[in-house]
Amino acid sequence: MGKIVLENIKLFGFHGCMPEEKYVGSHYTINLEVEFDFYKASINDDLSKTINYVDLYSIVKKEMNINSKLIEHLAQRIIQRIKEDNKSLVRYTKVKICKENPPLQGNVDRVCVILDDCD
């Protein structure tokens, strides 16, 4: 068993319940972990035996371009898409999405949600 981890993906998106969040947008930081058996890939040096991290990044980027009221919903969509695209390989997926400088009545650097899903 092994993991591919994408750390600190920086993207911009329009997620939130407040009207200004849908027009102004915000910066987001995303961390992603995908656990699966990549023993064959590690022995054979064969990309077809693993999950390509370029594809994982593409999934995150595409889902970030679909507006959501809740980043919880966004996290669930990312996990579902990864599972759909890699049905036979994925054992466990975890995503952490942080909205940088959230529109709160206080001084908060970020608000994060963490969602994990295991088969």
Side-chain angles (χ1 to χ4, degrees):
M1 218 41 70
K3 286 184 184 180
I4 291 180
V5 179
L6 280 72
E7 292 184 338
N8 296 323
I9 301 168
K10 308 272 191 221
L11 295 170
F12 193 83
F14 297 89
H15 309 288
C17 294
M18 299 174 74
E20 61 269 19
E21 293 176 295
K22 296 173 185 162
Y23 300 107
V24 176
S26 187
H27 292 277
Y28 292 82
T29 303
I30 301 101
N31 292 296
L32 179 66
E33 291 182 22
V34 180
E35 183 178 306
F36 61 101
D37 183 359
F38 55 69
Y39 177 75
K40 289 180 183 176
S42 69
I43 296 300
N44 298 319
D45 196 25
D46 185 352
L47 182 60
S48 71
K49 305 287 186 219
T50 189
I51 297 173
N52 190 335
Y53 56 79
V54 173
D55 295 338
L56 294 174
Y57 175 80
S58 178
I59 288 170
V60 171
K61 190 172 179 182
K62 285 177 185 174
E63 292 301 326
M64 278 294 294
N65 285 328
I66 301 169
N67 299 356
S68 291
K69 292 178 189 170
L70 303 175
I71 55 178
E72 293 90 330
H73 179 68
L74 173 61
Q76 182 63 38
R77 286 198 333 258
I78 290 169
I79 287 175
Q80 285 305 117
R81 179 80 184 276
I82 290 168
K83 288 173 66 175
E84 287 170 9
D85 289 2
N86 302 281
K87 287 179 187 160
S88 62
L89 291 176
V90 175
R91 295 272 195 270
Y92 172 83
T93 307
K94 177 179 177 180
V95 65
K96 177 180 177 183
I97 302 175
C98 298
K99 180 183 284 193
E100 307 297 329
N101 301 309
L104 299 175
Q105 300 297 327
N107 186 9
V108 178
D109 289 340
R110 69 189 57 84
V111 173
C112 304
V113 299
I114 300 171
L115 183 63
D116 54 11
D117 183 63
C118 45
D119 235 3

